Amino acid sequence: MRGFVPKTLNARRLAGIIRTVHAGKPYTDPELAADAISAGDSPPTAREAEMPEPAVGGTPVTEIAERAALSPGTVRNHLSSAATEPGAENRHAAVRLARDRGWV
């Protein structure tokens, strides 16, 4: 994504932002940015939350992918996202953090 704008933006302003993004410059609405920064921790999507649990139990990525009807690459991406969760040194810690926060 190169631009983030609220749905309530008027057409004239949106057209200007589209021209800005088309010129190769990114645009993020300042209020959206402030809201995102102040939101704090972001829970995983439902799909992302499904991935770490079986992996911690030793289930191979290919089997997790088959069960979830995803490609192994997508499963690896979800697991990588979980492992990079702030404060998680590995997938096991990521699952523990997600449980503690009530995300899974």
Side-chain angles (χ1 to χ4, degrees):
M1 295 301 250
R2 291 186 177 180
F4 292 93
V5 296
K7 291 180 182 181
T8 57
L9 202 63
N10 71 53
R12 181 173 293 207
R13 183 72 183 120
L14 179 60
I17 293 168
I18 290 171
R19 284 191 283 280
T20 298
V21 171
H22 182 70
K25 299 175 186 171
Y27 179 85
T28 300
D29 180 79
E31 288 184 39
L32 288 178
D35 287 347
I37 291 168
S38 66
D41 290 334
S42 174
T45 65
R47 206 61 159 149
E48 290 169 339
E50 294 173 9
M51 301 301 129
E53 191 77 42
V56 169
T59 305
V61 167
T62 53
E63 187 175 327
I64 296 169
E66 189 175 305
R67 287 183 197 171
L70 297 170
S71 74
T74 299
V75 171
R76 282 188 201 93
N77 288 341
H78 288 322
L79 291 173
S80 177
S81 293
T84 58
E85 172 64 33
E89 57 274 1
N90 56 43
R91 289 188 286 215
H92 303 281
V95 171
R96 188 173 57 251
L97 283 171
R99 283 183 187 148
D100 290 349
R101 293 174 181 164
W103 294 348
V104 292

